[in-house]
Amino acid sequence: MPSPRETILAALNARLSALPATALRGEVLPERVPAEGLLILRDGEPGEPEVTLSPLRYHYQHRAEIEAVVQGADRDTAFDTLTASIGTALAADRTLGGLCDWVEAEAPRPVDLPVEGAASLKAAVVPVVLHYSTADQLA
Protein backbone atom coordinates (compact mmCIF):
# COMPACT_ATOMS: atom_id res chain seq x y z
CA MET A 1 0.00 0.00 0.00
CA PRO A 2 1.51 3.35 -1.00
CA SER A 3 2.18 6.02 1.60
CA PRO A 4 -0.10 9.08 1.84
CA ARG A 5 2.72 11.14 0.27
CA GLU A 6 2.95 8.85 -2.76
CA THR A 7 -0.85 8.65 -3.07
CA ILE A 8 -1.09 12.46 -3.08
CA LEU A 9 1.71 12.88 -5.63
CA ALA A 10 0.12 10.22 -7.88
CA ALA A 11 -3.23 12.05 -7.64
CA LEU A 12 -1.54 15.34 -8.54
CA ASN A 13 0.15 13.66 -11.50
CA ALA A 14 -3.20 12.22 -12.62
CA ARG A 15 -4.73 15.70 -12.44
CA LEU A 16 -1.89 17.06 -14.63
CA SER A 17 -2.26 14.13 -17.06
CA ALA A 18 -5.83 15.25 -17.78
CA LEU A 19 -4.50 18.52 -19.27
CA PRO A 20 -3.78 18.83 -23.02
CA ALA A 21 -0.03 19.10 -22.36
CA THR A 22 2.13 15.99 -22.01
CA ALA A 23 2.60 15.24 -18.31
CA LEU A 24 5.55 13.27 -16.95
CA ARG A 25 6.70 12.52 -13.43
CA GLY A 26 10.35 12.68 -12.44
CA GLU A 27 11.61 12.44 -16.04
CA VAL A 28 14.39 14.40 -17.72
CA LEU A 29 13.50 17.04 -20.29
CA PRO A 30 13.05 15.19 -23.61
CA GLU A 31 14.74 16.35 -26.81
CA ARG A 32 11.44 17.50 -28.30
CA VAL A 33 8.76 19.51 -26.53
CA PRO A 34 5.24 18.62 -27.72
CA ALA A 35 3.33 21.42 -29.45
CA GLU A 36 0.79 21.64 -26.60
CA GLY A 37 3.56 21.93 -23.98
CA LEU A 38 5.21 19.73 -21.41
CA LEU A 39 4.70 19.34 -17.66
CA ILE A 40 7.17 17.45 -15.47
CA LEU A 41 6.13 16.82 -11.87
CA ARG A 42 9.01 16.70 -9.39
CA ASP A 43 8.30 15.13 -6.00
CA GLY A 44 9.91 18.04 -4.18
CA GLU A 45 10.53 18.36 -0.48
CA PRO A 46 8.11 17.54 2.34
CA GLY A 47 10.04 19.77 4.76
CA GLU A 48 9.86 19.62 8.54
CA PRO A 49 6.39 18.75 9.77
CA GLU A 50 4.45 20.42 12.55
CA VAL A 51 3.70 17.76 15.16
CA THR A 52 0.67 17.29 17.38
CA LEU A 53 0.90 14.67 20.11
CA SER A 54 -2.63 13.65 20.99
CA PRO A 55 -3.23 11.91 18.69
CA LEU A 56 0.22 11.83 17.11
CA ARG A 57 0.02 13.55 13.70
CA TYR A 58 2.63 15.01 11.36
CA HIS A 59 1.33 18.03 9.44
CA TYR A 60 3.24 18.68 6.22
CA GLN A 61 3.45 21.56 3.80
CA HIS A 62 5.07 19.51 1.05
CA ARG A 63 6.53 21.61 -1.79
CA ALA A 64 6.31 19.71 -5.07
CA GLU A 65 7.36 21.36 -8.33
CA ILE A 66 5.88 21.33 -11.80
CA GLU A 67 8.24 22.22 -14.62
CA ALA A 68 6.18 23.84 -17.38
CA VAL A 69 7.85 24.08 -20.80
CA VAL A 70 6.64 25.34 -24.18
CA GLN A 71 8.43 25.88 -27.47
CA GLY A 72 7.53 27.62 -30.69
CA ALA A 73 6.85 30.98 -32.26
CA ASP A 74 3.89 31.91 -30.01
CA ARG A 75 5.43 30.61 -26.80
CA ASP A 76 4.28 33.54 -24.61
CA THR A 77 0.61 32.80 -25.26
CA ALA A 78 1.18 29.03 -25.08
CA PHE A 79 2.98 29.40 -21.76
CA ASP A 80 0.22 31.58 -20.33
CA THR A 81 -2.41 29.07 -21.46
CA LEU A 82 -0.44 26.16 -19.98
CA THR A 83 0.12 27.77 -16.57
CA ALA A 84 -3.51 28.93 -16.41
CA SER A 85 -4.65 25.37 -17.11
CA ILE A 86 -2.57 24.14 -14.14
CA GLY A 87 -4.30 26.68 -11.91
CA THR A 88 -7.73 25.71 -13.22
CA ALA A 89 -7.04 21.99 -12.70
CA LEU A 90 -5.92 22.55 -9.10
CA ALA A 91 -8.77 24.94 -8.29
CA ALA A 92 -11.33 22.36 -9.47
CA ASP A 93 -10.52 20.20 -6.42
CA ARG A 94 -8.23 21.74 -3.80
CA THR A 95 -8.18 18.51 -1.78
CA LEU A 96 -7.35 16.06 -4.61
CA GLY A 97 -10.41 14.00 -3.80
CA GLY A 98 -9.98 14.35 -0.04
CA LEU A 99 -6.34 13.20 0.03
CA CYS A 100 -4.99 16.64 1.06
CA ASP A 101 -6.20 19.38 3.33
CA TRP A 102 -5.35 21.94 0.65
CA VAL A 103 -3.40 22.26 -2.62
CA GLU A 104 -2.08 25.61 -3.74
CA ALA A 105 0.14 26.65 -6.64
CA GLU A 106 2.52 29.59 -6.41
CA ALA A 107 3.34 31.98 -9.24
CA PRO A 108 5.87 30.79 -11.81
CA ARG A 109 9.01 32.71 -12.72
CA PRO A 110 9.36 32.16 -16.46
CA VAL A 111 12.66 32.21 -18.32
CA ASP A 112 13.46 32.00 -22.02
CA LEU A 113 16.02 29.33 -22.84
CA PRO A 114 17.82 29.44 -26.18
CA VAL A 115 18.15 26.17 -28.09
CA GLU A 116 20.83 25.88 -30.73
CA GLY A 117 19.24 25.29 -34.14
CA ALA A 118 15.64 25.38 -32.87
CA ALA A 119 13.01 27.72 -31.44
CA SER A 120 13.69 28.86 -27.87
CA LEU A 121 11.96 27.33 -24.90
CA LYS A 122 9.91 29.23 -22.38
CA ALA A 123 9.96 27.43 -19.05
CA ALA A 124 9.26 27.88 -15.37
CA VAL A 125 9.02 25.94 -12.18
CA VAL A 126 5.55 26.17 -10.65
CA PRO A 127 5.80 25.38 -6.92
CA VAL A 128 2.78 23.51 -5.56
CA VAL A 129 2.24 23.32 -1.80
CA LEU A 130 0.46 20.18 -0.63
CA HIS A 131 -0.95 20.44 2.90
CA TYR A 132 -1.60 17.05 4.47
CA SER A 133 -1.30 15.12 7.73
CA THR A 134 -0.15 11.61 8.47
CA ALA A 135 0.27 9.42 11.56
CA ASP A 136 3.71 8.16 10.49
CA GLN A 137 6.51 10.01 8.72
CA LEU A 138 7.45 6.96 6.64
CA ALA A 139 4.12 5.28 5.99
Side-chain angles (χ1 to χ4, degrees), residues 94-117:
R94 294 279 185 188
T95 66
L96 294 176
L99 298 172
C100 283
D101 295 327
W102 191 253
V103 177
E104 184 173 16
E106 296 178 356
R109 293 189 185 160
V111 295
D112 289 309
L113 303 170
V115 177
E116 189 174 326

Side-chain angles (χ1 to χ4, degrees), residues 8 16 28 33 35 44 49 53 58 63-64 68-69 72 79 84 93-94 103 110 113 116 120 124 127 132-133:
I8 290 166
L16 296 175
V28 297
V33 175
L53 297 175
Y58 299 92
R63 293 180 63 84
V69 184
F79 182 81
D93 181 7
R94 294 279 185 188
V103 177
L113 303 170
E116 189 174 326
S120 332
Y132 61 91
S133 298

Side-chain angles (χ1 to χ4, degrees), residues 36-60:
E36 64 279 354
L38 177 68
L39 301 171
I40 303 174
L41 175 62
R42 305 283 178 204
D43 290 356
E45 180 67 35
E48 286 294 318
E50 297 277 330
V51 180
T52 55
L53 297 175
S54 184
L56 180 62
R57 299 294 290 172
Y58 299 92
H59 308 281
Y60 285 97

Side-chain angles (χ1 to χ4, degrees), residues 120-139:
S120 332
L121 300 174
K122 185 161 190 166
V125 171
V126 179
V128 177
V129 182
L130 307 163
H131 299 264
Y132 61 91
S133 298
T134 158
D136 186 338
Q137 293 187 73
L138 298 177

Side-chain angles (χ1 to χ4, degrees), residues 15-16 19-21 36 39 78-91:
R15 181 66 46 98
L16 296 175
L19 298 175
E36 64 279 354
L39 301 171
F79 182 81
D80 185 59
T81 301
L82 181 60
T83 54
S85 70
I86 294 169
T88 301
L90 296 179

